[in-house]
Amino acid sequence: MLPVNCGRHADYQNFVAKNLRKYYPNPDAIARSTWDIIERFWALDLSYTYEFMRDKYSKFRPATRTPSYMQRSYLLSIDFKVTSITDWVAKLKINTFYAILSSFLMCMFLKD
């Protein structure tokens, strides 16, 4: 099944801003080097990835993650120096910060 396209880059930016304020209300608690990563991904518009990859997905499989989310998450793992995808997935499950930046929670929260 084709992935659900949950939104535009502006939706990602709004989601990140809203959830960083909610879960990390003190911006000084986040290291400057981490803010550099946040700022880079804030500006990195990956919305074209959905259209680019759309014909690569089967129409008969279960729904999948949006390709831009997968790409963004992989790039974040590189920036945070996590070289194992297995380790990164474990970190995503226990670290809200990484999940927010990867935007995996975005489809659920866009309605809020």
Side-chain angles (χ1 to χ4, degrees):
M1 180 184 257
L2 292 175
V4 176
N5 190 1
C6 292
R8 305 160 299 141
H9 184 64
D11 294 326
Y12 167 74
Q13 290 174 323
N14 292 333
F15 171 81
V16 169
K18 176 182 175 183
N19 284 284
L20 285 181
R21 282 188 207 108
K22 179 179 179 180
Y23 292 101
Y24 302 92
N26 180 5
D28 295 331
I30 299 173
R32 181 67 214 156
S33 59
T34 302
W35 277 112
D36 291 343
I37 293 170
I38 293 169
E39 289 170 5
R40 271 200 325 276
F41 280 86
W42 182 268
L44 181 62
D45 184 353
L46 298 173
S47 56
Y48 68 88
T49 309
Y50 176 78
E51 290 302 320
F52 180 74
M53 296 293 296
R54 192 157 109 171
D55 64 335
K56 309 288 189 257
Y57 285 85
S58 169
K59 294 178 175 87
F60 305 106
R61 301 270 180 184
T64 61
R65 300 272 187 205
T66 304
S68 60
Y69 299 0
M70 299 297 286
Q71 183 179 16
R72 183 180 294 114
S73 187
Y74 182 71
L75 294 172
L76 280 163
S77 73
I78 293 168
D79 273 357
F80 285 110
K81 301 189 183 357
V82 180
T83 58
S84 162
I85 292 175
T86 304
D87 291 347
W88 181 248
V89 170
K91 288 182 184 295
L92 283 171
K93 289 180 180 180
I94 62 172
N95 190 323
T96 306
F97 182 77
Y98 293 147
I100 290 169
L101 292 182
S102 292
S103 66
F104 284 139
L105 305 171
M106 194 164 94
C107 289
M108 287 188 285
F109 293 115
L110 271 179
K111 297 175 186 170
D112 292 351

